[in-house]
Amino acid sequence: KFYQGATTEATQATLASVSPVFAVMKFDKEGNTTYFEKKKTELYQELGLQARDLRFQHLMSIATRNNRIILRMEFLKAVITPEFLLILDYRHLNLEHWLVNELASQLAGEGQLVTYSLPFEFRAIEAILQYWIGKLQGRLNTLQPQILETLEALVDPKLLSVDRSKLHILLQNGKSLSELETDLKVFKETVLEILDEEELIEELCLSKWTDPQVFEESTSGIDHAEEMELLLENYYRQAEDLANEARELRVLIDDSESIIFINLDSHRNVMMRLNLQLTMGTFSLSLFGLIGVAFGMNLESSLEEDPRMFWLVTGIMFLGSGLIWRRLLSFLGRHLEPPLPPHVPAVLKKSQPAAARVEIKNNLKAETSGLSKSTLTNQ
């Protein structure tokens, strides 16, 4: 038993020694900031959580455990309690400016948060969501002018070829736009999962279950769950607007690609038509060049003695070649040009006068009554 106890203690000591260490930044209700490092085992025990709660296995998630909100926005990991906010692993993420200069003042009520009059968890959630939406908006604002400038340079119809460097830039921007669309989609799905479940919204209101004053306010008319729902819905709509703008950029890229392909096809058709015209001209010259070949053979005739015969044969060759080439070009023009649309004559619809319509109705009624009388007589 002594040996087993010693082994167990040694195992626990070994596991504790290899436990990851979190660099933590703590914010209280007044915006005061403290920094410390703590092992994962000690941290989740102090917070009353399980080890799996601080695993942060999803890229984006908002969950509640033991009256704690565990929030992750990709690289941003946070734990929210009714009294304080913990930011985990904040180093090497370029977050110091936002954490020190903006988040602390927002939590203290100096920022532009609309939830300052509500409990602390509302301010913490709004500050984080505001930062994340602002980051997504900044990415979109950076991509939009670059994409529009590149597309404007590529869609120019005067260009006979496409600049490969511009295409490479457009490909990179399109990839960045796809990543932005994915992030917006994940954010919307995460928030929508909470909005669809009333129990999850209730669980996000931490102070409602721990602070008697807040509970009395909630029972006296201030519905904190409704305030939380409105807060999440507000940022869901902002994400939806960003997604629509990104979608418009994606449609613009697709349409521009179609225009680029049409321009390239048009230039390619022009070159093919020019090549075909030159081929027909070569064929015409070759056809009437047979006359010169016939006179160039080593055969004696009386024609080579006449000095005018050379000019006559040369003129017939060039004239015949020109006529044949002209006929081939007209044939090419008739068969390559698109046919004109058929002429559709305008159909004038004349409405019948009201008196004529009344007369037709009376005639129909008279015929119907006559038929009914004759039918009764026959019966």
Side-chain angles (χ1 to χ4, degrees):
K1 290 182 181 179
F2 175 77
Y3 176 74
Q4 291 178 353
T7 305
T8 304
E9 292 179 357
T11 304
Q12 292 178 353
T14 304
L15 292 176
S17 62
V18 299
S19 178
V21 178
F22 287 127
V24 184
M25 183 179 289
K26 181 179 179 180
F27 299 87
D28 59 9
K29 295 181 179 181
E30 288 74 24
N32 299 322
T33 308
T34 56
Y35 308 86
F36 57 89
E37 293 184 356
K38 187 160 290 190
K39 293 183 179 180
K40 179 179 179 180
T41 54
E42 299 175 356
L43 186 61
Y44 72 72
Q45 288 175 2
E46 290 183 5
L47 295 174
L49 301 174
Q50 299 294 328
R52 62 177 178 272
D53 296 332
L54 299 182
R55 222 175 264 163
F56 299 102
Q57 54 188 351
H58 300 288
L59 289 178
M60 191 167 296
S61 62
I62 302 175
T64 56
R65 296 285 190 277
N66 194 19
N67 208 32
R68 304 284 189 267
I69 298 175
I70 303 168
L71 187 146
R72 177 172 184 179
M73 298 291 176
E74 287 191 1
F75 51 82
L76 180 61
K77 307 172 186 177
V79 178
I80 303 173
T81 70
E83 294 81 18
F84 54 84
L85 165 66
L86 299 180
I87 303 295
L88 310 180
D89 289 339
Y90 64 92
R91 295 176 180 173
H92 310 293
L93 295 178
N94 297 324
L95 294 176
E96 286 80 2
H97 176 76
W98 171 67
L99 292 173
V100 177
N101 299 332
E102 298 182 18
L103 181 59
S105 59
Q106 287 177 341
L107 296 178
E110 299 176 2
Q112 298 178 353
L113 300 182
V114 298
T115 57
Y116 180 69
S117 59
L118 295 172
F120 176 74
E121 63 269 14
F122 285 82
R123 281 179 276 163
I125 292 176
E126 183 183 4
I128 294 176
L129 293 181
Q130 188 181 79
Y131 166 75
W132 191 249
I133 288 293
K135 194 170 185 62
L136 295 176
Q137 179 72 55
R139 290 168 59 184
L140 181 62
N141 293 339
T142 303
L143 283 175
Q144 190 171 12
Q146 295 179 0
I147 292 176
L148 294 178
E149 182 181 358
T150 306
L151 292 179
E152 185 178 357
L154 289 174
V155 179
D156 190 359
K158 299 180 181 179
L159 297 177
L160 299 179
S161 61
V162 179
D163 190 357
R164 293 185 178 181
S165 61
K166 297 290 184 181
L167 285 177
H168 183 66
I169 295 174
L170 182 63
L171 180 61
Q172 292 180 343
N173 292 334
K175 184 179 179 181
S176 301
L177 184 62
S178 300
E179 294 175 354
L180 177 60
E181 289 177 335
T182 302
D183 294 341
L184 287 169
K185 181 181 178 182
V186 173
F187 179 83
K188 288 167 50 183
E189 291 176 352
T190 304
V191 176
L192 190 61
E193 288 178 1
I194 301 175
L195 291 175
D196 291 339
E197 297 291 337
E198 186 176 355
E199 296 180 356
L200 296 178
I201 297 177
E202 291 282 352
E203 292 176 357
L204 291 177
C205 304
L206 305 179
S207 301
K208 183 178 180 179
W209 313 109
T210 57
D211 192 345
Q213 182 180 358
V214 175
F215 183 77
E216 291 177 2
E217 291 178 355
S218 61
T219 55
S220 62
I222 301 177
D223 192 352
H224 289 83
E226 184 178 354
E227 295 290 340
M228 181 64 72
E229 182 178 0
L230 292 175
L231 174 63
L232 295 176
E233 187 176 358
N234 177 33
Y235 286 97
Y236 177 82
R237 289 181 179 178
Q238 293 186 30
E240 183 70 24
D241 294 339
L242 293 179
N244 291 334
E245 293 182 14
R247 195 178 301 113
E248 291 177 359
L249 275 180
R250 175 62 61 187
V251 172
L252 186 60
I253 290 176
D254 295 339
D255 294 343
S256 300
E257 288 179 353
S258 301
I259 295 175
I260 292 171
F261 291 145
I262 290 173
N263 290 336
L264 292 178
D265 290 339
S266 177
H267 294 309
R268 190 181 300 111
N269 292 336
V270 170
M271 298 303 295
M272 291 176 63
R273 185 164 184 168
L274 178 61
N275 187 20
L276 184 59
Q277 291 175 353
L278 294 177
T279 303
M280 289 188 298
T282 304
F283 171 75
S284 303
L285 289 175
S286 301
L287 182 63
F288 279 86
L290 295 176
I291 300 176
V293 173
F295 278 92
M297 291 188 297
N298 295 325
L299 298 177
E300 296 181 358
S301 63
S302 60
L303 297 177
E304 66 270 8
E305 297 178 358
D306 191 349
R308 296 171 298 177
M309 188 57 60
F310 171 78
W311 301 108
L312 178 62
V313 173
T314 303
I316 292 174
M317 289 173 55
F318 281 100
L319 181 62
S321 300
L323 291 176
I324 292 295
W325 189 42
R326 184 64 181 173
R327 295 288 294 176
L328 290 176
L329 289 179
S330 62
F331 174 81
L332 179 66
R334 287 196 306 269
H335 286 78
L336 290 184
E337 291 180 357
L340 296 175
H343 178 68
V344 180
V347 179
L348 300 178
K349 297 182 179 179
K350 296 182 179 180
S351 59
Q352 296 180 349
R357 291 199 298 269
V358 173
E359 184 179 357
I360 292 172
K361 289 182 180 179
N362 294 331
N363 294 334
L364 289 175
K365 288 181 180 179
E367 292 176 0
T368 306
S369 61
L371 289 174
S372 60
K373 289 179 181 179
S374 64
T375 304
L376 291 173
T377 304
N378 294 332
Q379 291 179 356

